[in-house]
Amino acid sequence: MVDLDKMYFIVDMQGDFYKLGKREGLVRAKSREEAGMFTLFEANRHMSGKKEQFYSMIPVEEDNVEEQTSYDAPEYDEVEKPTMFDTLHNNWEEMLSSLCYMSDHMDEYQNNLKEMLSEVDKEICDIMHYLEFNELSDKDMIKASRMLQERRRHRREIKDEMEKTALMKSTFLDGAFGIKVQQSLEFMEKMKQRQYTPRKLTELFAAVS
């Protein structure tokens, strides 16, 4: 269930935070502390249209504290209905990379499927003419029938794959999908370079460096 009371920051692909300007438009904030906080509805409204390609939302960290303590969370030790996302070690970058690859190479794959279909159709045509023009023994008839069956089944696999790829391309694999996936991947890469800015105890971090 979506938490409508949860607050979000709006950021661009460079990791810069945004707030509302005088005319209720998004303007770049100087820092995270100056950034505006938006509900899910408000964030979606300000990011609608063409702006959606350049902005994304990140949840406001409500539990930012200067001292971290270890704790046990036994309620997470056992999951009655586990899913592939129950672990905190999901490789989202790999998943996004696979989606990027699929988006970039779908046209190429569809062309390969057309070539495969053409090749198997030629083989089927040869077998049909072989059956037509020759007086075959029972053994040869069985052999030709098996060859025809194998190629017809292979043709059905190709046709099914063509229908599946056409469905994916018509429903979501458009240019906007590729852009959004690439932007998400770039943003996750930028997350690895994030640095914490001390709010008060700057000397604590200076001593570490």
Side-chain angles (χ1 to χ4, degrees):
M1 185 175 181
V2 178
D3 186 358
L4 299 179
D5 294 326
K6 190 172 184 178
M7 304 300 291
Y8 296 84
F9 289 122
I10 295 178
V11 299
D12 59 21
M13 297 312 299
Q14 284 70 45
D16 293 325
F17 289 81
Y18 282 76
K19 63 180 181 179
L20 289 183
K22 295 181 179 179
R23 298 183 179 180
E24 293 297 308
L26 293 176
V27 296
R28 185 179 288 108
K30 295 180 180 179
S31 63
R32 180 190 181 100
E33 288 71 25
E34 189 182 283
M37 292 187 291
F38 307 87
T39 64
L40 182 63
F41 174 79
E42 292 171 337
N44 281 315
R45 178 164 58 87
H46 290 297
M47 292 168 51
S48 61
K50 294 182 179 180
K51 297 178 182 178
E52 189 176 2
Q53 300 181 12
F54 307 101
Y55 300 107
S56 59
M57 296 180 295
I58 59 174
V60 174
E61 297 292 342
E62 298 177 353
D63 58 345
N64 275 338
V65 293
E66 294 160 0
E67 180 180 356
Q68 297 181 350
T69 58
S70 60
Y71 62 94
D72 296 325
E75 63 272 20
Y76 295 111
D77 290 343
E78 295 183 2
V79 181
E80 294 182 0
K81 297 181 179 179
T83 70
M84 63 180 295
F85 303 118
D86 283 333
T87 175
L88 294 178
H89 303 285
N90 296 299
N91 194 336
W92 298 112
E93 291 88 345
E94 182 177 344
M95 294 180 190
L96 288 171
S97 296
S98 297
L99 290 173
C100 282
Y101 184 89
M102 180 175 65
S103 177
D104 292 340
H105 294 83
M106 182 56 71
D107 289 340
E108 179 183 349
Y109 182 46
Q110 288 183 314
N111 289 332
N112 290 339
L113 289 172
K114 291 178 181 178
E115 293 181 8
M116 293 169 62
L117 183 65
S118 176
E119 291 299 315
V120 75
D121 280 341
K122 292 175 183 177
E123 292 180 354
I124 291 173
C125 183
D126 288 343
I127 296 172
M128 295 296 291
H129 283 89
Y130 173 73
L131 291 169
E132 178 182 357
F133 297 136
N134 294 280
E135 296 296 331
L136 303 175
S137 65
D138 291 344
K139 181 179 179 180
D140 289 336
M141 283 288 292
I142 293 174
K143 179 181 178 180
S145 297
R146 286 177 177 173
M147 291 175 63
L148 181 60
Q149 183 186 58
E150 290 174 356
R151 282 154 180 81
R152 288 292 302 181
R153 287 177 175 175
H154 183 49
R155 186 180 189 276
R156 173 50 51 199
E157 291 177 348
I158 297 171
K159 291 286 290 183
D160 288 346
E161 190 73 357
M162 292 176 72
E163 290 186 16
K164 291 175 183 177
T165 55
L167 176 63
M168 290 191 293
K169 192 171 181 180
S170 64
T171 52
F172 68 91
L173 275 180
D174 53 10
F177 175 83
I179 292 174
K180 290 180 180 180
V181 172
Q182 184 63 41
Q183 288 177 338
S184 299
L185 185 59
E186 291 174 359
F187 184 77
M188 286 192 179
E189 290 297 325
K190 290 182 180 296
M191 289 178 64
K192 299 177 182 178
Q193 309 300 323
R194 292 180 302 176
Q195 293 184 347
Y196 177 73
T197 301
R199 290 161 172 73
K200 186 69 176 178
L201 302 176
T202 55
E203 67 280 2
L204 179 64
F205 289 84
V208 175
S209 60

